[in-house]
Amino acid sequence: MNFLKNKTIIGQIITMIALIPIIICSIFIFIFVRQMEKEFDHFHRNDVLRTASILKSAIEISENSKKTVERLIDEKLHLISKEIAKELRGKTIEEVTQQDLIALRNKYDVYNISLLVRRNDDIIIAQSSDPNEIGLSTKEWGYWYDAFQQLMSGKPVTVGKGYYQEHYWVGPISKSDWENKYFKYAYYYDGTTEFMINPYILDSEIYHATKHSDPEALIHSILKFKESEIEEIAVINANVLLRSENRDIIEPERDAPILYGKNSYKHEKDHFYIQKVLKENQMESVKLGENYRKYYLPIPNDRVITIVTDLSAGTKFFHNIIFLFVLSFVAAFVIIFFVLQVITKKYLTPIPTIHRYINKIAAGDLTEEIHVDQKNEFGDIAAHLNEMTDRISQLIVDIKNDIETLRLVSNVLSETVHSYFHVMDEVSTTMTKESREIFHEIELEVKEIRQNYENINQQLEKLKEANHFEFHHVSNFIIQSSHQLIRLNDLMKQNVKKVTEMNLSSFDAIQQLNEIIIQLDNLSKDLENKINKFKVQES
């Protein structure tokens, strides 16, 4: 593992190879977790939708069954009411006793029978097989009172509730004013009696007839199922619940906020979500703490099904999957890491050897060769390095030989220049000295000639008169000779000057050449010092 601590290419390759699966797996885990969350949420939603669909169907079946049974019971009560009317026809309300009604009750197998009559602006129960009902007023019974008024006036009942036939109306299942029970009340008035006949039965008769399709039983069976994550189900009468007022449940279909099941898992925004699902007709959900989620689903007739699911089992299963997945990834990564370590150490072994060899070359040691016994790129690199080292070694040897040759040439040239400089100096000195001596002698001779000329000229002046022609001829000769001597003197001066200047120029040129030779010699020494840093095998 030392190669991982140092910044080696093997360590970097393994690190990069290790980082790539780490990054990929991290991204995959993130995507996997997100997808699993979506799948679990989708599974829960589908489970809730299936349950809601089953419950909705059960409610529809139950209500249809109830309506069918109720219609049968309504028809039965209709027939019973007609039979009771026949038996009481011709009697006044005072003539009908409680015992008569009890006998009729037992005969026709109903819960009780009551008789209602008009009293001023009210309709009251004047006689009943149950003495607790006698004297009850119906004026405050809302649409029930309106239905009584229409029925006893011989008009059709148009209150929009219950079931109506000619001279006959049955109200919805309702709670008794004095008894905490729910009944099916029937009312018959055909004008042949002064009172309205009211036979009624317990709603339990309807319940027993529709028990096999009752949603409450279905909810109970769903909650009892061990594999189900559903914790609670409620069918909410939204309009009643949203009024948020405590009221007696007279008619369950109208007054009960919870029609089936329980709604014990409350949420502070229950009313908001109920209104929202009714308005948008779409399912909504909200978390209840860490382990529960509550779903709101709209169904017809302004009702909402709420289903609470327990997420703890699913969350635990989800966490176990994530844990196993991460554990598998870690184990696979460790195995792959060590396999990669073995493979890279096997196939990348030449890299440290090549690295050490290159460091020796960088330090100037070209005396060794690298040996890599692999027929791949590393073998090619080693062969090229050896070839390059041989060429550099040969180049350095050639440069050393050239430096030696250059040094010899420089020495010879330097000696030649010094010898030439010495000879030139001697020749120049000798020529300058001789030129000066000759010039001096010529100058003395010229002066002497000029002096002689002047003497001759003076003597000739005296002889001027004697022979004018000869005198003139000799005089011109002497003058011309004098002029020629002067020109000769000037020419000698110029020659001496040119010789002197030539000697000085030659001296400067030799001096510059000497300086160049010195620089060349210094350059050779410097190059030799640099080349000597390399160690090569010299043949």
Side-chain angles (χ1 to χ4, degrees), residues 106-132:
N106 295 333
K107 179 179 179 180
Y108 292 105
D109 192 23
V110 294
Y111 190 79
N112 272 314
I113 301 174
S114 298
L115 304 178
L116 289 81
V117 298
R118 292 179 184 270
R119 288 286 187 271
N120 299 324
D121 59 348
D122 194 3
I123 296 176
I124 65 171
I125 298 176
Q127 187 59 272
S128 176
S129 59
D130 185 350
N132 294 304

Side-chain angles (χ1 to χ4, degrees), residues 16 153 155 230 255 290 372 478 482:
M16 290 301 297
S153 299
K155 298 178 181 179
I230 297 175
D255 302 324
E290 290 295 325
V372 174
I478 293 171
S482 177

Side-chain angles (χ1 to χ4, degrees), residues 54-73:
I54 294 170
L55 188 58
K56 178 183 175 183
S57 300
I59 292 172
E60 291 175 354
I61 293 171
S62 175
E63 290 182 347
N64 290 333
S65 299
K66 278 186 178 180
K67 287 179 182 179
T68 302
V69 173
E70 284 186 37
R71 291 294 81 82
L72 293 174
I73 292 175

Side-chain angles (χ1 to χ4, degrees), residues 82-97 100 104 115 188-195 197:
K82 285 182 177 182
E83 294 299 323
I84 293 173
K86 287 181 183 179
E87 296 200 25
L88 297 178
R89 187 171 293 140
K91 293 184 178 181
T92 63
I93 189 65
E94 289 80 8
E95 292 175 345
V96 179
T97 65
D100 294 334
L104 290 172
L115 304 178
Y188 182 83
Y189 183 79
D190 59 1
T192 59
T193 60
E194 63 177 19
F195 44 80
I197 300 171

Side-chain angles (χ1 to χ4, degrees), residues 311-472:
L311 306 177
S312 57
T315 302
K316 183 178 179 181
F317 176 71
F318 175 72
H319 288 165
N320 288 338
I321 290 178
I322 297 298
F323 174 76
L324 290 174
F325 183 80
V326 173
L327 184 64
S328 301
F329 163 71
V330 172
F333 174 77
V334 171
I335 294 171
I336 292 172
F337 179 80
F338 282 104
V339 171
L340 285 174
Q341 180 181 347
V342 172
I343 293 173
T344 51
K345 286 182 70 176
K346 179 179 179 181
Y347 288 97
L348 300 181
T349 302
I351 291 179
T353 304
I354 294 172
H355 182 258
R356 288 192 297 270
Y357 184 71
I358 291 174
N359 285 338
K360 286 186 177 181
I361 294 175
D365 187 357
L366 305 177
T367 60
E368 295 184 5
E369 287 188 353
I370 184 172
H371 300 283
V372 174
D373 297 329
Q374 289 188 8
K375 295 181 180 180
N376 52 25
E377 288 83 354
F378 291 121
D380 294 340
I381 290 172
H384 292 320
L385 283 174
N386 289 330
E387 184 180 354
M388 180 189 71
T389 304
D390 292 340
R391 290 181 179 180
I392 293 174
S393 298
Q394 187 61 44
L395 178 61
I396 291 172
V397 171
D398 293 342
I399 290 174
K400 284 186 176 182
N401 294 332
D402 292 341
I403 290 172
E404 188 65 28
T405 303
L406 183 62
R407 181 184 297 168
L408 294 174
V409 172
S410 176
N411 291 335
V412 172
L413 185 59
S414 178
E415 292 175 358
T416 303
V417 168
H418 282 292
S419 175
Y420 178 73
F421 179 77
H422 181 68
V423 171
M424 285 294 295
D425 185 52
E426 290 180 353
V427 171
S428 177
T429 303
T430 304
M431 288 179 64
T432 302
K433 183 178 179 181
E434 291 176 353
S435 297
R436 287 177 180 176
E437 291 177 355
I438 293 170
F439 173 73
H440 182 66
E441 291 178 359
I442 291 173
E443 187 177 15
L444 290 178
E445 291 293 334
V446 170
K447 284 182 179 182
E448 184 177 355
I449 292 171
R450 290 184 67 182
Q451 185 65 40
N452 293 330
Y453 163 74
E454 290 178 357
N455 293 332
I456 294 170
N457 192 35
Q458 289 176 1
Q459 292 177 4
L460 289 175
E461 283 293 332
K462 294 177 180 182
L463 298 175
K464 184 176 181 183
E465 295 177 357
N467 191 347
H468 180 75
F469 177 78
E470 292 180 358
F471 173 79
H472 182 73

Side-chain angles (χ1 to χ4, degrees), residues 99-268:
Q99 298 302 323
D100 294 334
L101 295 177
I102 292 173
L104 290 172
R105 178 191 70 184
N106 295 333
K107 179 179 179 180
Y108 292 105
D109 192 23
V110 294
Y111 190 79
N112 272 314
I113 301 174
S114 298
L115 304 178
L116 289 81
V117 298
R118 292 179 184 270
R119 288 286 187 271
N120 299 324
D121 59 348
D122 194 3
I123 296 176
I124 65 171
I125 298 176
Q127 187 59 272
S128 176
S129 59
D130 185 350
N132 294 304
E133 290 191 345
I134 298 173
L136 290 177
S137 171
T138 63
K139 192 173 183 179
E140 303 300 328
W141 286 12
Y143 71 85
W144 289 74
Y145 181 73
D146 296 336
F148 297 161
Q149 290 277 24
Q150 292 172 354
L151 193 61
M152 295 188 75
S153 299
K155 298 178 181 179
V157 177
T158 58
V159 296
K161 300 283 186 177
Y163 172 73
Y164 170 74
Q165 285 192 35
E166 187 179 12
H167 308 308
Y168 177 73
W169 179 73
V170 182
I173 295 175
S174 303
K175 185 180 179 182
S176 170
D177 268 2
W178 65 273
E179 191 174 5
N180 191 24
K181 293 180 180 179
Y182 291 88
F183 300 94
K184 186 74 170 175
Y185 293 95
Y187 301 91
Y188 182 83
Y189 183 79
D190 59 1
T192 59
T193 60
E194 63 177 19
F195 44 80
M196 183 168 57
I197 300 171
N198 169 219
Y200 57 93
I201 61 174
L202 277 171
D203 72 331
S204 58
E205 295 185 29
I206 300 174
Y207 170 75
H208 288 304
T210 59
K211 184 176 180 180
H212 64 281
S213 61
D214 182 46
E216 195 73 44
L218 177 62
I219 291 172
H220 182 69
S221 64
I222 291 173
L223 297 180
K224 282 184 66 178
F225 185 57
K226 294 182 180 180
E227 301 299 326
S228 175
E229 295 181 349
I230 297 175
E231 192 72 15
E232 182 181 81
I233 300 175
V235 179
I236 296 174
N237 197 351
N239 292 331
V240 178
L241 185 68
L242 293 175
R243 284 198 292 265
S244 300
E245 58 183 29
N246 295 323
R247 56 186 294 175
D248 290 336
I249 301 175
I250 304 302
E251 298 176 18
E253 295 290 329
R254 182 191 67 183
D255 302 324
I258 309 299
L259 298 176
Y260 307 103
K262 295 180 181 179
N263 187 33
S264 59
Y265 287 86
K266 304 287 185 180
H267 189 270
E268 57 184 7

Side-chain angles (χ1 to χ4, degrees), residues 31-48:
I31 296 173
F32 176 77
V33 170
R34 297 288 297 177
Q35 190 62 32
M36 285 292 292
E37 288 177 349
K38 289 182 180 179
E39 290 296 327
F40 271 102
D41 184 63
H42 184 68
F43 172 78
H44 281 290
R45 292 174 71 88
N46 287 341
D47 190 32
V48 168

